[in-house]
Amino acid sequence: MTKPSIESAAPELMEPLDLNWVRAQFPSLSQRVNGRPAAFLDGPGGTQVPQRVIDAISDYLRSNNANTCGAYATSRNTDQMITGARSAMADFLGCDVDEIVFGPNMTTLTFAISRAIGRELGPGDEILLTHLDHDANISPWRALEERGVKIQFADIHEEDCTLDMEDLASKITSRTKVVAAGYASNAVGTINDVKTIVRLAHEVGAMAYVDAVHYAPHGPIDVRELDCDFLACSTYKFFGPHMGVLYGKREHLARLQPYKLRANTNAVPQRWEWGTLNHECIAGITACVDYLAELGRQHVAPDAVVRDGRVRAPASTRREMLQSAYGAIQAHERDLMKHMLPGLAEIPGLKLYGISDPPRLASRCPTFAVRIEGHTPLELATRLGERGIFTWDGNYYAINLTERLGVEQDGGFLRIGLVHYNTVEEVDRVLEALRT
Ligand SMILES: Cc1ncc(COP(=O)(O)O)c(C=O)c1O
C-alpha cells in the first residue's frame, strides 16, 4: 500500500483557529502591565509557553532529575525522556530520530558544525552567506576566514528585502563548499526559497545549512523535502523552552569530526552533544511539539476525509497533526497580516521594510520592521512597552541587514512580531498606539 503523502489539510477542511482555546493554553498571556493587558508582539525574540511545557519541565525536576546512562530508575527515565524528545523533533522536522542533535541554542550548534566542517577547508574554498541572515548564521562561518576560507555574500533587493537569487546563484561556483541561508528573516519576515538554494548548492557539491529559527513558529518544516544537509532551530521561538535543535543528515553527523571529549561516545547523534544537556528543557520540548500536534488535531474539521491519496484529515500521526496545526496557524497569521499591512500604510511618516503587497503574503512571516520619522526605534518600543505592548528595537543581530539598509547607526528598526496566539485586537492596539 502506498503511504499517503503528508500535507497540510486542505483549507476547506480546516476549522478557523480557536483563539480562546489557544490563548487559554498560555498562562503568561493573561498578564497586565500598567493596568492594561500585556500584548506579546515580541515572538521573534522568544515566544510564550503553554502550561503543558511548564508542567513537563517541573515534573521532570520533581520526579526524574538525574544524569544519563545510570543503572537506576530516574536515570533510565531520563534516557527515555531524551529519546522521546528526539522522536518529537524528528516528527517536527520530518527526519529520523538519530538525525536530531540537542544543544543550548542555535548559535552554539552552528559553531559546532562550522568548526567541524572548517577542519576540512582551507585557502581556495568559499562559503556563501546572505545579507538577510541573523549573525548566528554568519559569524560561525566567518570564523573560518582564519583558515584562509573566502566568505561571499548574496545581496538583497532593497525595495522589498528579498534575497537577490540571481546574485546568489552567480556566487555559487566549484569553489563553494557551504551555502548557509536563513529560511526566514527575523528582522523583516521574508521567507526565502530555501529549496532552490539547497539545489543550487548541491549542483556544485556544496553543503546547505539552513537557519530555520525564525521560520519554525510560522510554517511546517520538511528537511527531506528541502534536502538540506543541516537545519537548525530553537525551541524557545516556537512555544518551547530555551534550547537549540539541529538536524543533520546522518552521513554528515557520522563522517564529520566534532571537537569533543575522549570520554564522550562516538555514537550518532550523541557525539555532537557534549557535557550534560539541559534535561528539564528537553522534557519541555516534547510538550511543546505535543501542544502543536494537539492544536492540529483540534483544528481539522471533524468530517474531513482522505482524498486522492493525500491525508486531509483527521490526522492520525503526530507529524500529520503538526501539518494540520501549521495549516491553521498560517491561515490565522495571514488574517493578522491582512489587518496589519493597510493599518501600517496609513500611519504618517512610517516606513515598512519588507514585502508589503497582499498577494505576496505567502512569502513573508507576520514580522514587521518599521521606522517612523522623528522617533528612534528605542523610543517607540519604550513608549509601546509603557502601554503593555511588547515589541523590539535595534538590529536583533541581523546586523548585515541593518548595515546594508543604512539604519544600523540610527537604532535599527522597531519590530512588531506576531505569532498564532496574537489577535486582531492586539494588532489594532499597536496600530492605534503608533498613530498617536
Ligand atoms: C533567525 C535567527 N537565527 C538564529 C538565532 C539565534 O538563535 P539562538 O538564540 O538559539 O542561538 C536567532 C535568534 O534570535 C534568530 O532569530
Side-chain angles (χ1 to χ4, degrees):
M1 202 179 100
T2 38
K3 215 175 152 208
S5 64
I6 298 171
E7 292 182 42
S8 303
E12 71 276 14
L13 299 175
M14 298 298 305
E15 298 281 5
L17 197 68
D18 178 354
L19 263 182
N20 288 334
W21 179 83
V22 166
R23 290 181 67 87
Q25 308 304 305
F26 292 82
S28 59
L29 296 184
S30 58
Q31 287 175 77
R32 296 181 77 82
V33 175
N34 296 337
R36 298 181 224 213
F40 288 87
L41 311 186
D42 61 341
T47 47
Q48 301 306 303
V49 296
Q51 183 65 46
R52 66 170 74 204
V53 170
I54 302 168
D55 291 344
I57 293 172
S58 49
D59 286 352
Y60 173 78
L61 289 171
R62 193 178 302 111
S63 311
N64 283 312
N65 193 12
N67 217 323
T68 52
C69 302
Y72 57 97
T74 52
S75 179
R76 287 199 188 105
N77 292 345
T78 297
D79 292 337
Q80 264 177 20
M81 179 280 290
I82 294 175
T83 306
R86 263 191 236 288
S87 159
M89 280 311 299
D91 286 348
F92 187 81
L93 298 176
C95 61
D96 291 334
V97 174
D98 62 349
E99 293 174 308
I100 294 292
V101 178
F102 290 124
N105 48 55
M106 175 275 182
T107 305
T108 311
L109 288 165
T110 305
F111 265 114
I113 296 298
S114 78
R115 275 192 218 167
I117 291 177
R119 291 177 121 172
E120 302 181 342
L121 303 185
D125 293 326
E126 294 185 4
I127 293 179
L128 179 61
L129 310 176
T130 90
H131 281 312
L132 207 49
D133 268 72
H134 186 286
D135 203 47
N137 204 22
I138 292 180
S139 285
W141 304 109
R142 289 199 62 177
L144 302 182
E145 282 176 318
E146 68 188 17
R147 302 183 64 89
V149 174
K150 186 170 169 193
I151 304 294
Q152 299 267 26
F153 279 95
D155 204 0
I156 57 159
H157 298 293
E158 217 175 304
E159 65 282 7
D160 61 0
C161 297
T162 53
L163 267 188
D164 181 340
M165 291 296 279
E166 264 179 45
D167 186 57
L168 181 135
S170 74
K171 287 174 177 157
I172 298 180
T173 70
S174 57
R175 293 183 297 280
T176 311
K177 298 295 177 263
V178 179
V179 178
Y183 208 143
S185 158
N186 69 315
V188 290
T190 315
I191 298 173
N192 294 324
D193 180 359
V194 186
K195 202 170 169 190
T196 300
I197 296 173
V198 173
R199 181 175 54 73
L200 292 170
H202 287 175
E203 275 171 15
V204 297
M207 285 191 268
Y209 189 96
V210 178
D211 170 3
V213 171
H214 189 67
Y215 183 73
H218 304 294
I221 299 174
D222 188 333
V223 292
R224 295 271 186 266
E225 165 80 9
L226 293 177
D227 195 28
C228 53
D229 298 276
F230 298 95
L231 180 141
C233 58
S234 307
T235 50
Y236 74 96
K237 307 280 192 183
F238 57 93
F239 324 110
H242 287 93
M243 286 283 298
V245 182
L246 174 84
Y247 154 79
K249 275 188 180 164
R250 188 182 296 105
E251 69 209 67
H252 298 319
L253 295 180
R255 189 189 63 76
L256 288 167
Q257 290 302 316
Y259 286 88
K260 62 183 266 300
L261 303 188
R262 279 174 308 162
N264 209 77
T265 173
N266 240 324
V268 173
Q270 291 85 351
R271 68 202 296 254
W272 295 92
E273 295 169 343
W274 320 299
T276 307
L277 291 172
N278 187 330
H279 299 162
E280 53 273 29
C281 282
I282 294 177
I285 289 178
T286 305
C288 114
V289 173
D290 283 343
Y291 156 72
L292 286 167
E294 174 64 15
L295 187 152
R297 198 186 61 75
Q298 296 218 0
H299 286 86
V300 175
D303 54 351
V305 289
V306 176
R307 268 198 274 133
D308 306 327
R310 278 173 56 188
V311 175
R312 302 294 186 141
S316 54
T317 68
R318 181 162 53 188
R319 179 142 176 88
E320 288 164 359
M321 291 194 263
L322 289 167
Q323 301 288 324
S324 299
Y326 278 106
I329 287 172
Q330 286 182 326
H332 176 64
E333 289 188 354
R334 256 170 232 173
D335 284 347
L336 294 178
M337 287 194 269
K338 281 186 197 152
H339 204 71
M340 178 69 96
L341 285 170
L344 289 175
E346 280 169 12
I347 295 173
L350 183 143
K351 179 171 159 94
L352 171 76
Y353 294 79
I355 294 172
S356 61
D357 32 337
R360 293 174 64 207
L361 291 187
S363 302
R364 68 144 38 252
C365 303
T367 304
F368 304 95
V370 301
R371 290 182 58 86
I372 300 185
E373 250 170 53
H375 302 278
T376 65
L378 174 60
E379 188 189 333
L380 294 169
T382 306
R383 293 182 59 185
L384 290 170
E386 287 159 3
R387 293 168 182 231
I389 302 171
F390 304 165
T391 58
W392 214 274
D393 70 282
N395 61 33
Y396 347 103
Y397 285 22
I399 190 161
N400 271 62
L401 184 65
T402 50
E403 283 176 348
R404 172 70 181 74
L405 295 172
V407 297
E408 176 61 23
Q409 70 284 6
D410 297 325
F413 315 106
L414 173 77
R415 179 178 66 188
I416 307 164
L418 308 177
V419 292
H420 74 285
Y421 54 60
N422 292 122
T423 64
V424 168
E425 291 72 34
E426 289 175 328
V427 172
D428 281 339
R429 260 181 80 194
V430 73
L431 288 172
E432 173 60 20
L434 289 176
R435 260 194 298 272
T436 56

Short mmCIF file of all heavy atoms in Angstrom, two decimals, residues 266-308:
data_model
loop_
_atom_site.label_atom_id
_atom_site.label_comp_id
_atom_site.label_asym_id
_atom_site.label_seq_id
_atom_site.Cartn_x
_atom_site.Cartn_y
_atom_site.Cartn_z
N ASN A 266 31.09 8.01 20.60
CA ASN A 266 31.21 8.33 19.18
C ASN A 266 29.92 8.03 18.43
O ASN A 266 29.85 8.14 17.21
CB ASN A 266 32.37 7.56 18.56
CG ASN A 266 33.38 8.54 18.00
OD1 ASN A 266 33.00 9.60 17.46
ND2 ASN A 266 34.65 8.22 18.14
N ALA A 267 28.89 7.66 19.18
CA ALA A 267 27.62 7.30 18.54
C ALA A 267 26.96 8.55 17.96
O ALA A 267 27.09 9.65 18.50
CB ALA A 267 26.70 6.65 19.57
N VAL A 268 26.25 8.35 16.87
CA VAL A 268 25.45 9.43 16.25
C VAL A 268 24.05 9.35 16.85
O VAL A 268 23.49 8.27 16.92
CB VAL A 268 25.40 9.23 14.72
CG1 VAL A 268 24.45 10.23 14.08
CG2 VAL A 268 26.79 9.33 14.12
N PRO A 269 23.49 10.45 17.33
CA PRO A 269 23.94 11.83 17.23
C PRO A 269 24.69 12.32 18.47
O PRO A 269 25.15 13.46 18.50
CB PRO A 269 22.63 12.59 17.09
CG PRO A 269 21.68 11.82 17.96
CD PRO A 269 22.09 10.38 17.84
N GLN A 270 24.83 11.45 19.50
CA GLN A 270 25.37 11.93 20.79
C GLN A 270 26.78 12.48 20.69
O GLN A 270 27.22 13.25 21.55
CB GLN A 270 25.31 10.82 21.84
CG GLN A 270 23.91 10.43 22.29
CD GLN A 270 23.25 9.41 21.37
OE1 GLN A 270 23.77 9.10 20.29
NE2 GLN A 270 22.10 8.89 21.78
N ARG A 271 27.53 12.10 19.64
CA ARG A 271 28.91 12.62 19.53
C ARG A 271 28.93 14.14 19.31
O ARG A 271 29.98 14.78 19.43
CB ARG A 271 29.66 11.89 18.40
CG ARG A 271 29.13 12.19 17.02
CD ARG A 271 29.50 11.10 16.02
NE ARG A 271 30.91 11.01 15.80
CZ ARG A 271 31.55 11.43 14.70
NH1 ARG A 271 30.87 12.00 13.72
NH2 ARG A 271 32.84 11.29 14.57
N TRP A 272 27.76 14.71 18.99
CA TRP A 272 27.66 16.17 18.81
C TRP A 272 27.13 16.86 20.05
O TRP A 272 26.94 18.08 20.04
CB TRP A 272 26.77 16.48 17.60
CG TRP A 272 27.38 15.99 16.34
CD1 TRP A 272 27.18 14.78 15.74
CD2 TRP A 272 28.36 16.66 15.54
NE1 TRP A 272 27.96 14.65 14.62
CE2 TRP A 272 28.70 15.80 14.47
CE3 TRP A 272 29.00 17.91 15.61
CZ2 TRP A 272 29.64 16.14 13.50
CZ3 TRP A 272 29.92 18.26 14.65
CH2 TRP A 272 30.23 17.38 13.60
N GLU A 273 26.84 16.10 21.09
CA GLU A 273 26.27 16.68 22.32
C GLU A 273 27.27 16.47 23.44
O GLU A 273 27.48 15.34 23.88
CB GLU A 273 24.95 15.97 22.66
CG GLU A 273 23.87 16.20 21.61
CD GLU A 273 22.64 15.30 21.79
OE1 GLU A 273 22.74 14.28 22.51
OE2 GLU A 273 21.61 15.61 21.18
N TRP A 274 27.89 17.55 23.90
CA TRP A 274 28.96 17.41 24.87
C TRP A 274 28.53 17.91 26.23
O TRP A 274 27.77 18.87 26.33
CB TRP A 274 30.21 18.16 24.43
CG TRP A 274 30.44 18.01 22.97
CD1 TRP A 274 30.66 16.84 22.31
CD2 TRP A 274 30.41 19.03 21.99
NE1 TRP A 274 30.79 17.07 20.97
CE2 TRP A 274 30.64 18.42 20.75
CE3 TRP A 274 30.22 20.41 22.03
CZ2 TRP A 274 30.69 19.13 19.56
CZ3 TRP A 274 30.27 21.11 20.85
CH2 TRP A 274 30.50 20.48 19.63
N GLY A 275 29.08 17.29 27.26
CA GLY A 275 28.72 17.70 28.61
C GLY A 275 27.29 17.29 28.90
O GLY A 275 26.67 16.54 28.15
N THR A 276 26.77 17.82 29.99
CA THR A 276 25.42 17.44 30.39
C THR A 276 24.43 18.42 29.77
O THR A 276 24.62 19.64 29.85
CB THR A 276 25.31 17.48 31.93
OG1 THR A 276 26.36 16.67 32.44
CG2 THR A 276 23.97 16.95 32.40
N LEU A 277 23.42 17.89 29.14
CA LEU A 277 22.42 18.75 28.50
C LEU A 277 21.43 19.28 29.53
O LEU A 277 21.41 18.82 30.68
CB LEU A 277 21.69 17.95 27.42
CG LEU A 277 22.51 17.57 26.19
CD1 LEU A 277 21.72 16.61 25.31
CD2 LEU A 277 22.90 18.81 25.39
N ASN A 278 20.58 20.17 29.08
CA ASN A 278 19.55 20.73 29.95
C ASN A 278 18.34 19.79 29.91
O ASN A 278 17.42 19.95 29.09
CB ASN A 278 19.19 22.13 29.45
CG ASN A 278 18.27 22.83 30.39
OD1 ASN A 278 17.47 22.20 31.09
ND2 ASN A 278 18.35 24.14 30.42
N HIS A 279 18.36 18.78 30.78
CA HIS A 279 17.34 17.73 30.70
C HIS A 279 15.92 18.26 30.89
O HIS A 279 14.99 17.83 30.21
CB HIS A 279 17.62 16.64 31.75
CG HIS A 279 18.93 15.98 31.55
ND1 HIS A 279 19.58 15.26 32.52
CD2 HIS A 279 19.76 15.95 30.48
CE1 HIS A 279 20.73 14.81 32.08
NE2 HIS A 279 20.86 15.23 30.84
N GLU A 280 15.76 19.18 31.83
CA GLU A 280 14.40 19.66 32.09
C GLU A 280 13.83 20.38 30.86
O GLU A 280 12.65 20.24 30.53
CB GLU A 280 14.33 20.55 33.35
CG GLU A 280 15.28 21.72 33.41
CD GLU A 280 16.66 21.35 33.99
OE1 GLU A 280 17.08 20.19 33.85
OE2 GLU A 280 17.30 22.24 34.58
N CYS A 281 14.71 21.11 30.16
CA CYS A 281 14.22 21.77 28.96
C CYS A 281 13.92 20.76 27.86
O CYS A 281 12.98 20.94 27.07
CB CYS A 281 15.22 22.82 28.47
SG CYS A 281 15.12 24.33 29.45
N ILE A 282 14.72 19.71 27.80
CA ILE A 282 14.44 18.69 26.78
C ILE A 282 13.06 18.06 27.04
O ILE A 282 12.30 17.78 26.11
CB ILE A 282 15.57 17.63 26.74
CG1 ILE A 282 16.86 18.31 26.27
CG2 ILE A 282 15.21 16.47 25.82
CD1 ILE A 282 18.08 17.42 26.24
N ALA A 283 12.73 17.89 28.33
CA ALA A 283 11.39 17.38 28.65
C ALA A 283 10.33 18.36 28.12
O ALA A 283 9.27 17.95 27.62
CB ALA A 283 11.24 17.21 30.16
N GLY A 284 10.63 19.64 28.20
CA GLY A 284 9.69 20.65 27.71
C GLY A 284 9.55 20.64 26.18
O GLY A 284 8.52 21.06 25.65
N ILE A 285 10.57 20.15 25.48
CA ILE A 285 10.50 20.13 24.01
C ILE A 285 9.38 19.19 23.55
O ILE A 285 8.58 19.52 22.66
CB ILE A 285 11.86 19.72 23.40
CG1 ILE A 285 12.87 20.86 23.59
CG2 ILE A 285 11.71 19.37 21.91
CD1 ILE A 285 14.27 20.56 23.08
N THR A 286 9.32 18.00 24.14
CA THR A 286 8.26 17.06 23.74
C THR A 286 6.90 17.72 23.98
O THR A 286 5.99 17.63 23.15
CB THR A 286 8.35 15.75 24.56
OG1 THR A 286 9.67 15.24 24.40
CG2 THR A 286 7.34 14.73 24.08
N ALA A 287 6.78 18.39 25.12
CA ALA A 287 5.49 19.01 25.44
C ALA A 287 5.14 20.11 24.44
O ALA A 287 3.97 20.29 24.09
CB ALA A 287 5.53 19.57 26.86
N CYS A 288 6.14 20.83 23.97
CA CYS A 288 5.83 21.91 23.03
C CYS A 288 5.42 21.33 21.68
O CYS A 288 4.47 21.82 21.05
CB CYS A 288 6.97 22.92 22.97
SG CYS A 288 7.86 23.08 21.47
N VAL A 289 6.09 20.27 21.23
CA VAL A 289 5.68 19.64 19.97
C VAL A 289 4.27 19.05 20.14
O VAL A 289 3.42 19.15 19.24
CB VAL A 289 6.71 18.56 19.54
CG1 VAL A 289 6.20 17.77 18.33
CG2 VAL A 289 8.05 19.21 19.23
N ASP A 290 4.01 18.45 21.31
CA ASP A 290 2.68 17.88 21.54
C ASP A 290 1.60 18.96 21.60
O ASP A 290 0.46 18.72 21.20
CB ASP A 290 2.67 17.03 22.81
CG ASP A 290 3.35 15.68 22.59
OD1 ASP A 290 3.51 15.29 21.40
OD2 ASP A 290 3.74 15.03 23.57
N TYR A 291 1.96 20.14 22.09
CA TYR A 291 0.98 21.25 22.07
C TYR A 291 0.59 21.55 20.62
O TYR A 291 -0.60 21.66 20.30
CB TYR A 291 1.57 22.51 22.74
CG TYR A 291 0.88 23.75 22.24
CD1 TYR A 291 -0.43 24.04 22.65
CD2 TYR A 291 1.49 24.60 21.32
CE1 TYR A 291 -1.11 25.14 22.14
CE2 TYR A 291 0.82 25.70 20.82
CZ TYR A 291 -0.48 25.97 21.22
OH TYR A 291 -1.15 27.05 20.70
N LEU A 292 1.59 21.66 19.75
CA LEU A 292 1.29 21.98 18.35
C LEU A 292 0.48 20.85 17.70
O LEU A 292 -0.46 21.11 16.94
CB LEU A 292 2.59 22.23 17.58
CG LEU A 292 3.27 23.56 17.89
CD1 LEU A 292 4.69 23.60 17.35
CD2 LEU A 292 2.47 24.74 17.32
N ALA A 293 0.83 19.61 18.03
CA ALA A 293 0.09 18.47 17.46
C ALA A 293 -1.37 18.51 17.93
O ALA A 293 -2.29 18.28 17.15
CB ALA A 293 0.76 17.16 17.86
N GLU A 294 -1.56 18.84 19.19
CA GLU A 294 -2.92 18.94 19.73
C GLU A 294 -3.69 20.06 19.02
O GLU A 294 -4.87 19.91 18.68
CB GLU A 294 -2.84 19.20 21.25
CG GLU A 294 -4.15 19.46 21.95
CD GLU A 294 -5.11 18.27 21.91
OE1 GLU A 294 -4.66 17.15 21.59
OE2 GLU A 294 -6.31 18.48 22.18
N LEU A 295 -3.00 21.16 18.78
CA LEU A 295 -3.63 22.26 18.04
C LEU A 295 -4.08 21.75 16.66
O LEU A 295 -5.18 22.05 16.21
CB LEU A 295 -2.64 23.42 17.91
CG LEU A 295 -3.14 24.73 17.32
CD1 LEU A 295 -2.33 25.89 17.88
CD2 LEU A 295 -3.06 24.76 15.82
N GLY A 296 -3.22 20.96 16.03
CA GLY A 296 -3.56 20.42 14.71
C GLY A 296 -4.76 19.49 14.79
O GLY A 296 -5.67 19.55 13.95
N ARG A 297 -4.77 18.64 15.81
CA ARG A 297 -5.88 17.68 15.96
C ARG A 297 -7.20 18.42 16.13
O ARG A 297 -8.21 18.05 15.57
CB ARG A 297 -5.61 16.78 17.17
CG ARG A 297 -6.42 15.50 17.18
CD ARG A 297 -6.21 14.73 18.47
NE ARG A 297 -6.63 15.46 19.65
CZ ARG A 297 -7.88 15.66 20.02
NH1 ARG A 297 -8.86 15.17 19.29
NH2 ARG A 297 -8.18 16.35 21.10
N GLN A 298 -7.14 19.52 16.88
CA GLN A 298 -8.37 20.26 17.18
C GLN A 298 -8.87 21.09 16.01
O GLN A 298 -10.01 21.52 16.02
CB GLN A 298 -8.11 21.23 18.34
CG GLN A 298 -7.78 20.54 19.60
CD GLN A 298 -8.43 21.25 20.78
OE1 GLN A 298 -9.11 22.25 20.61
NE2 GLN A 298 -8.23 20.72 21.96
N HIS A 299 -8.00 21.36 15.06
CA HIS A 299 -8.38 22.33 14.05
C HIS A 299 -8.64 21.73 12.67
O HIS A 299 -8.65 22.45 11.68
CB HIS A 299 -7.37 23.47 13.98
CG HIS A 299 -7.51 24.38 15.15
ND1 HIS A 299 -6.88 24.14 16.34
CD2 HIS A 299 -8.27 25.47 15.33
CE1 HIS A 299 -7.23 25.07 17.21
NE2 HIS A 299 -8.08 25.90 16.62
N VAL A 300 -8.85 20.45 12.64
CA VAL A 300 -9.26 19.86 11.38
C VAL A 300 -10.73 19.53 11.51
O VAL A 300 -11.16 18.97 12.52
CB VAL A 300 -8.43 18.60 11.08
CG1 VAL A 300 -8.95 17.93 9.84
CG2 VAL A 300 -6.97 18.97 10.91
N ALA A 301 -11.52 19.91 10.50
CA ALA A 301 -12.96 19.70 10.58
C ALA A 301 -13.27 18.21 10.81
O ALA A 301 -12.61 17.36 10.22
CB ALA A 301 -13.61 20.18 9.29
N PRO A 302 -14.24 17.90 11.67
CA PRO A 302 -14.49 16.51 12.02
C PRO A 302 -14.90 15.66 10.83
O PRO A 302 -14.65 14.46 10.81
CB PRO A 302 -15.64 16.59 13.04
CG PRO A 302 -16.03 18.02 13.15
CD PRO A 302 -15.08 18.86 12.38
N ASP A 303 -15.50 16.28 9.80
CA ASP A 303 -15.93 15.47 8.66
C ASP A 303 -14.87 15.41 7.56
O ASP A 303 -15.13 15.01 6.43
CB ASP A 303 -17.24 16.03 8.09
CG ASP A 303 -17.11 17.51 7.75
OD1 ASP A 303 -16.08 18.11 8.12
OD2 ASP A 303 -18.03 18.05 7.13
N ALA A 304 -13.65 15.80 7.88
CA ALA A 304 -12.58 15.78 6.88
C ALA A 304 -12.27 14.34 6.47
O ALA A 304 -12.49 13.42 7.23
CB ALA A 304 -11.34 16.44 7.45
N VAL A 305 -11.76 14.18 5.27
CA VAL A 305 -11.57 12.82 4.72
C VAL A 305 -10.19 12.67 4.07
O VAL A 305 -9.49 13.65 3.85
CB VAL A 305 -12.63 12.53 3.64
CG1 VAL A 305 -13.98 12.35 4.26
CG2 VAL A 305 -12.63 13.63 2.59
N VAL A 306 -9.86 11.43 3.74
CA VAL A 306 -8.66 11.19 2.93
C VAL A 306 -9.09 11.18 1.47
O VAL A 306 -10.00 10.45 1.10
CB VAL A 306 -8.04 9.82 3.29
CG1 VAL A 306 -6.85 9.52 2.38
CG2 VAL A 306 -7.63 9.79 4.74
N ARG A 307 -8.49 12.04 0.66
CA ARG A 307 -8.88 12.11 -0.75
C ARG A 307 -7.64 12.09 -1.63
O ARG A 307 -6.60 12.62 -1.25
CB ARG A 307 -9.63 13.41 -1.02
CG ARG A 307 -11.13 13.25 -0.87
CD ARG A 307 -11.84 14.39 -1.55
NE ARG A 307 -11.94 15.53 -0.65
CZ ARG A 307 -11.64 16.78 -0.99
NH1 ARG A 307 -11.18 17.05 -2.17
NH2 ARG A 307 -11.76 17.75 -0.13
N ASP A 308 -7.76 11.51 -2.80
CA ASP A 308 -6.67 11.50 -3.79
C ASP A 308 -5.37 11.00 -3.20
O ASP A 308 -4.30 11.50 -3.52
CB ASP A 308 -6.43 12.91 -4.36
CG ASP A 308 -7.70 13.52 -4.90
OD1 ASP A 308 -8.53 12.76 -5.42
OD2 ASP A 308 -7.86 14.74 -4.80
#
